[in-house]
Amino acid sequence: MGAVPVEIRQAAAHDHDELYAAFSRIVSAGEGFPQQPPLTREEFDDYWIRPAAAVSVACFGGYLVGASYIKPNFVGRAAHIANAGYFVVAAYRGTGVGRSLVEHSLREARRLGFDAMMFNLVFESNPARAMYHRLGFDEVGRVPRAVEGEHAVIYWRSLEDIVLQDREVEDADLEGVAG
């Protein structure tokens, strides 16, 4: 399967049931997230929806094929560092949907005012790790035997190099006023 051209948009309340169903299947299969199955709707909302600064869905042909969230990784003075989570439904893995979601989240996190992004528990077996390196993430730590004996990796990336077209226009407008 080649690259899938997805539409990525902000999730609406009417997407939450479909997000929960898709994420629950991933948790039940033990794929990439530490939640214990069966996942309840309350647990999903507490993890994916309520703390999020942004939740996005990736759609292809009108169907949800992936999603992401962005939230502060820490509280208080360290809340400038974002955390993001992603999932791609099984039939669309390896098609570029995940990369599209990550690239979108980098821009969105920067737009929301975050200046860095951090992933806390990326399973060592996660095939997305190579993509994270290509997108500028550095491995900053390891968690031995994090989930059922599997090691996890912690990633960090500055967002200061992420350029937003809206911000470029604002900067140009300000330069004209200041000059």
Side-chain angles (χ1 to χ4, degrees):
M1 190 184 289
V4 172
V6 293
E7 172 201 1
I8 299 176
R9 61 171 173 79
Q10 183 176 348
H14 71 296
D15 294 312
H16 292 184
D17 288 340
E18 193 174 6
L19 282 166
Y20 166 64
F23 188 69
S24 292
R25 285 190 297 274
I26 289 165
V27 167
S28 291
E31 298 171 337
F33 288 89
Q35 284 82 355
Q36 184 69 38
L39 183 72
T40 68
R41 177 61 187 262
E42 186 75 12
E43 290 168 331
F44 170 75
D45 288 350
D46 284 347
Y47 179 72
W48 200 274
I49 303 294
R50 288 190 190 107
V55 176
S56 298
V57 293
C59 298
F60 177 66
Y63 295 97
L64 180 115
V65 297
S68 67
Y69 68 74
I70 300 168
K71 57 187 172 187
N73 197 58
F74 304 106
V75 298
R77 294 176 294 162
H80 61 98
I81 301 170
N83 176 257
Y86 314 93
F87 73 76
V88 176
V89 298
Y92 288 87
R93 292 182 192 152
T95 66
V97 172
R99 184 181 181 105
S100 294
L101 281 164
V102 175
E103 289 174 340
H104 177 268
S105 74
L106 294 173
R107 293 186 303 273
E108 185 67 5
R110 186 66 173 153
R111 186 189 68 75
L112 290 167
F114 293 102
D115 62 14
M117 186 174 285
M118 186 170 176
F119 303 147
N120 300 318
L121 280 177
V122 178
F123 291 3
E124 234 177 20
S125 62
N126 188 330
R129 290 181 58 212
M131 175 190 57
Y132 296 150
H133 284 283
R134 286 192 299 273
L135 292 175
F137 284 88
D138 293 320
E139 189 177 304
V140 296
R142 293 183 158 274
V143 182
R145 299 175 303 285
V147 178
E148 297 176 345
E150 185 170 358
H151 303 318
V153 181
I154 301 168
Y155 286 96
W156 178 90
R157 182 199 197 285
S158 171
L159 299 177
E160 293 177 2
D161 65 327
I162 303 295
V163 178
L164 301 174
Q165 290 182 350
D166 292 343
R167 189 151 296 160
E168 288 175 343
V169 171
E170 290 172 8
D171 290 347
D173 289 346
L174 289 174
E175 287 173 9
V177 171

